[in-house]
Amino acid sequence: MQLNTGIYSHWLNHNIVMVSSEMTEIDDEVSKRLARRDWKISHVEKDFNKAFEILRKGEASVLVIDDTVESPASLVLRNQLNDPIALLTPTIVISPDHQKDKNVLKEVGIPEIIDYPMNPTSFTESLEFLLRRWSSDSFKKVLAARTLLVHGKKKLGLQALSQLIQNKELMPLVTPPLAQSIRNQSDSKVIEKLLLNGIKEFPRNIGIILSTIDFYINMAMPETAMKIVEAAKKNLGNPILMIPEQVQALLMLNDIKACIPLLETMVEANYMPERAKDFLSRCYYAEGQVGGFINAIGHKRAKYNEFHDVWHKKSGESA
């Protein structure tokens, strides 16, 4: 029996897009249970950018993130902060218990977190809870704003979101997209007030914190960005998904030495490892840590010579 009433009745469509670097086929029992509810996993994408594009086109109404080494959930969630439609999409994260930052994942937007591996019962129960939550009057208004954005009515969508900013329950969802839209209008004081009010209400919400740090970095205010980082550490420790922002701010402050242990942590945790290694090799070289540099480039002499020549050419020194 298909269900088209209640929590199943007010969506653009009943499609789910999944981001997974490992899963290529959906469990038959999961598919059957979804079909009984008139839903389906319509797309499985390895690249979260492709999944976000599907959401922007209005081809799916729910996002599922499979937390893997190749595509960590924290990376996908942090990129949702820069994509209003993706952030305003009901989201489920499937995460293993050994995930170091599992407890803070729920603080980027308002996702549902379930344990890995995905099993039919926990997944369908989580989906039903998610749909029920987003069927409340407050969340229906978020979905209405999201629908306007999907249909290209950006101004109306953002106006609808701005009317929800005083709703404390919705603040983690509506603050980042509103801040980003206002940034495009260069109204920095309004953005700053919006973000700081969000942190005041939700001091542990890593989504609002990351948006605030990113704002100060883009405003060329790395010292202030680091103040937000240090304040966040008191509440959250130092979650790995906050490290890239720290590295950006420290590089702007020319504190290259402080970047090295942070980038090493990213490499050890296999979190954006190739990008981290790229920056790490440069930091090692800049700090004269030749041993670390050689390890970072995989002991490749040709690569060392190439790096050496480019470095000295750009610095105006003789190689």
Side-chain angles (χ1 to χ4, degrees), residues 46 59 111 185 221:
K46 290 185 177 182
E59 296 176 3
Q185 301 169 19
M221 299 171 65

Short mmCIF file of all heavy atoms in Angstrom, two decimals, residues 46 59 111 185 221:
data_model
loop_
_atom_site.label_atom_id
_atom_site.label_comp_id
_atom_site.label_asym_id
_atom_site.label_seq_id
_atom_site.Cartn_x
_atom_site.Cartn_y
_atom_site.Cartn_z
N LYS A 46 28.91 9.37 -6.14
CA LYS A 46 30.18 9.39 -5.40
C LYS A 46 30.61 10.82 -5.09
O LYS A 46 31.24 11.08 -4.07
CB LYS A 46 31.26 8.68 -6.22
CG LYS A 46 31.07 7.17 -6.33
CD LYS A 46 32.25 6.52 -7.03
CE LYS A 46 32.08 5.02 -7.08
NZ LYS A 46 33.24 4.33 -7.73
N GLU A 59 15.28 17.48 -8.19
CA GLU A 59 15.06 16.09 -8.55
C GLU A 59 15.04 15.15 -7.35
O GLU A 59 14.78 13.96 -7.50
CB GLU A 59 16.13 15.64 -9.55
CG GLU A 59 16.07 16.39 -10.87
CD GLU A 59 17.19 16.00 -11.83
OE1 GLU A 59 17.97 15.09 -11.47
OE2 GLU A 59 17.27 16.60 -12.92
N PRO A 111 20.85 17.38 10.80
CA PRO A 111 20.72 16.04 10.21
C PRO A 111 20.32 14.99 11.24
O PRO A 111 20.49 15.18 12.45
CB PRO A 111 22.12 15.77 9.69
CG PRO A 111 23.01 16.48 10.67
CD PRO A 111 22.25 17.72 11.07
N GLN A 185 25.72 40.92 -0.87
CA GLN A 185 25.28 42.31 -0.94
C GLN A 185 26.25 43.24 -0.20
O GLN A 185 26.00 44.43 -0.07
CB GLN A 185 23.89 42.45 -0.33
CG GLN A 185 22.84 41.59 -1.01
CD GLN A 185 21.53 41.54 -0.23
OE1 GLN A 185 21.27 42.39 0.61
NE2 GLN A 185 20.72 40.53 -0.51
N MET A 221 40.04 39.13 8.14
CA MET A 221 40.16 39.36 9.58
C MET A 221 40.55 38.05 10.26
O MET A 221 39.79 37.47 11.05
CB MET A 221 38.83 39.88 10.14
CG MET A 221 38.38 41.20 9.54
SD MET A 221 36.68 41.68 10.01
CE MET A 221 36.87 41.93 11.79
#
